[in-house]
Amino acid sequence: FRLAQAVESRDGVTGTHIKSTGYYAAAIAKAMGLPSQDVEFGLYATPMHDIGKIGIPDPILLKPGPLDAEEWKIMKLHTAIGGRILSNSDSHVIQMAEQIALTHHEKWDGSGYPDGLKGSQIPLWGRIAAIVDVFDALTNDRPYKKALPIDRSLEILKKGAGTHFDPEVSKAFFSIQKEILSIFRENEDPFSKKGDR
């Protein structure tokens, strides 16, 4: 967690937001009926999903606007970098984190990266981390954008079911929407000025 926090602090992401990704993922996994041990491992593994950003140069990571094609190509490397950082561990949690780091930008319809995996080719925890990562990105400020209102963020997630997101993972997310929003509010940055939620 501390390593993830060190990496994420480079682009202004707070420790509470890193923790919230784990809480979201664990709640979804529990709603899907995954074994309690897997739920716990996911709680700790998911916050490491973007650890590969440590290898992305600041001018790209902190750019306050859209990335050009070459910059985007470099940004996408954070998945492979994260996988390398977390590879060859005996720890089941770190092995899960490696899988999540590599696959959380894959999309259900095969249009994601780095490998264009499709449907169930994407490991389940990569599919869970995908919706968690997007929800967290939409609802929090980033160097390149302001946070969106919750209603708009949820609308975007609903539209992504079956294309970006595994329909079953999406269904589980929305089945516990109240819990997700409770986690969001508990971990919201008290110093961030995001307007009416």
Side-chain angles (χ1 to χ4, degrees):
F1 170 73
R2 291 182 183 278
L3 178 58
Q5 189 170 2
V7 173
E8 297 280 16
S9 67
R10 290 180 62 215
D11 62 352
V13 178
T14 68
T16 54
H17 295 153
I18 296 162
K19 283 182 179 177
S20 66
T21 60
Y23 294 141
Y24 296 143
I28 292 167
K30 189 175 179 183
M32 295 182 75
L34 270 61
S36 58
Q37 190 176 45
D38 283 358
V39 172
E40 184 179 6
F41 288 160
L43 174 68
Y44 300 120
T46 305
M48 292 185 268
H49 66 281
D50 272 341
I51 213 156
K53 284 184 177 178
I54 197 167
I56 304 301
D58 281 352
I60 294 173
L61 187 66
L62 304 178
K63 186 176 179 180
L67 301 178
D68 65 30
E70 193 56 37
E71 290 167 336
W72 184 234
K73 190 175 175 184
I74 293 167
M75 178 61 89
K76 286 180 175 180
L77 294 175
H78 81 275
T79 54
I81 295 168
R84 280 199 303 273
I85 290 170
L86 297 165
S87 65
N88 301 315
S89 174
D90 293 330
S91 161
H92 187 70
V93 174
I94 301 299
Q95 290 170 3
M96 185 184 284
E98 176 189 2
Q99 186 182 79
I100 290 169
L102 281 168
T103 63
H104 70 285
H105 282 294
E106 299 289 359
K107 295 183 181 180
W108 185 251
D109 65 4
S111 66
Y113 67 88
D115 296 317
L117 301 179
K118 185 175 183 179
S120 60
Q121 292 177 330
I122 308 164
L124 178 57
W125 277 99
R127 287 178 262 154
I128 291 172
I131 198 165
V132 163
D133 185 39
V134 172
F135 179 70
D136 189 64
L138 290 172
T139 55
N140 290 294
D141 292 339
R142 293 291 184 266
Y144 53 89
K145 68 157 201 67
K146 290 293 182 186
L148 292 179
I150 289 290
D151 288 351
R152 177 69 182 126
S153 299
L154 293 174
E155 185 183 317
I156 290 169
L157 292 188
K158 279 180 183 170
K159 286 183 178 176
T163 53
H164 191 150
F165 310 117
D166 175 343
E168 291 303 311
V169 172
S170 184
K171 183 179 176 183
F173 177 96
F174 283 102
S175 76
I176 56 163
Q177 183 176 316
K178 284 186 179 178
E179 183 179 354
I180 294 288
L181 296 182
S182 176
I183 294 167
F184 169 78
R185 292 186 190 101
E186 285 171 16
N187 293 283
E188 193 169 12
D189 183 353
F191 302 106
S192 181
K193 297 178 181 178
K194 296 172 187 169
D196 182 23
R197 286 284 188 199

